[in-house]
Amino acid sequence: MSDRLRVRALGFAPVKGTQHMIREDAVLDEHGPVGDRAYCLVDVERRTVLKTVRNPRLLTVRASLTGPVLELVLPDGRSVRAAPQLTGETVTCDYWKRSVDLELTDGPHAALLSQWLGRSVRLARAPRGGVVYGEPVSIVATASVAELSERVGRPGLLDEAARFRATCLIETDVPYIEETWAGRTMALGDRWVRIGAPIPRCAVMDLDPVTGERNARLLKALAGYRPKNEAGEPVFGVYARIVGGRE
């Protein structure tokens, strides 16, 4: 069996919760994709990081990070492009029952997104991995998506793979074979990754990855036949961690 993952696409969102997009120029380092969830939106009063499942309109926002410059584009054509300026203020937020220190910024981004979301938010810079739920790399396999697609009668599901917000979509021939690779070290581009545990899933996958509309019932379908974690969440895809560079 080959130790090289056959990569179909790499993707991430530089602002947590915004549209998950393919990044052909993605660079991986020891912490995962460079720029992945470098920023997040914060409700300062409640000291919480905004989550996609509760703010589906975030999925309509396209975010791009070029050096220090962050560009946000809304579906109605409005946009901002500027380097967020750190204010020196920090806020400690609860993120999935762990505390994370975030650096608040100034600039036009927060005003635009506050208008779009209909609530007051601040843009904050996050430490690497600070607002990542599990491991720095997540992997979803084409054969597994195809199998789910057939079960739910949704033939275009592979074209909507951004629903799963995976760092890496890989080509496979056998559904769920990726789960048999746990603990194995494999090549991902110019990096070695160690395959980890299956990924527990939430209702974000039921949201259209471009419009934010709730237009699928994938979570319910997975719950009907897939293994679940201790919290009762069905699993789909696997985590991975960067363990070194390839010579």
Side-chain angles (χ1 to χ4, degrees):
M1 187 183 299
S2 172
D3 65 355
R4 179 185 293 274
L5 297 171
R6 294 180 288 158
V7 178
R8 177 161 174 165
L10 291 171
F12 63 89
V15 179
K16 176 179 168 52
T18 58
Q19 196 171 125
H20 183 89
M21 297 169 59
I22 293 175
R23 312 282 173 172
E24 295 182 354
D25 58 350
V27 174
L28 299 177
D29 66 12
E30 63 271 22
H31 302 292
V34 175
D36 182 27
R37 286 162 282 192
Y39 293 92
C40 63
L41 297 175
V42 173
D43 183 324
V44 175
E45 184 177 343
R46 292 181 172 83
R47 293 182 175 269
T48 57
V49 175
L50 267 64
K51 296 175 181 175
T52 315
V53 71
R54 295 178 182 171
N55 300 274
R57 231 180 175 205
L58 275 174
L59 291 171
T60 67
V61 180
R62 296 168 62 91
S64 299
L65 188 61
T66 306
V69 176
L70 176 64
E71 181 178 35
L72 302 177
V73 180
L74 302 184
D76 63 8
R78 284 181 292 164
S79 66
V80 296
R81 189 175 189 275
Q85 301 299 310
L86 297 176
T87 65
E89 305 170 82
T90 61
V91 58
T92 301
C93 291
D94 173 76
Y95 182 72
W96 293 109
K97 298 183 179 180
R98 73 173 189 260
S99 294
V100 57
D101 295 329
L102 303 167
E103 301 176 273
L104 296 177
T105 71
D106 271 342
H109 308 88
L112 181 69
L113 291 175
S114 293
Q115 284 185 337
W116 186 245
L117 298 173
R119 60 184 296 184
S120 178
V121 296
R122 292 284 299 275
L123 181 73
R125 188 170 75 176
R128 290 293 296 275
V131 290
V132 176
Y133 179 77
E135 299 291 352
V137 174
S138 56
I139 294 172
V140 163
T142 54
S144 303
V145 176
E147 197 272 350
L148 175 60
S149 174
E150 186 174 341
R151 280 181 179 267
V152 300
R154 197 178 186 94
L157 189 58
L158 195 56
D159 294 329
E160 302 174 346
R163 286 181 182 274
F164 306 105
R165 302 185 71 84
T167 310
C168 187
L169 178 65
I170 63 169
E171 297 278 4
T172 55
D173 301 316
V174 179
Y176 309 111
I177 193 172
E178 63 276 14
E179 294 176 9
T180 71
W181 299 337
R184 186 174 170 187
T185 299
M186 306 183 78
L188 175 59
D190 62 356
R191 297 282 168 176
W192 291 109
V193 297
R194 183 163 294 127
I195 307 300
I199 301 171
R201 291 297 178 170
C202 69
V204 167
M205 67 173 64
D206 290 344
L207 303 175
D208 187 283
V210 176
T211 69
E213 177 188 1
R214 191 175 300 276
N215 60 5
R217 303 185 72 184
L218 303 182
L219 185 64
K220 182 177 180 180
L222 289 176
Y225 76 102
R226 293 290 295 143
K228 300 180 181 67
N229 65 6
E230 293 180 355
E233 299 163 320
V235 298
F236 190 82
V238 292
Y239 284 125
R241 178 174 291 275
I242 308 288
V243 293
R246 300 176 64 223
E247 297 295 336

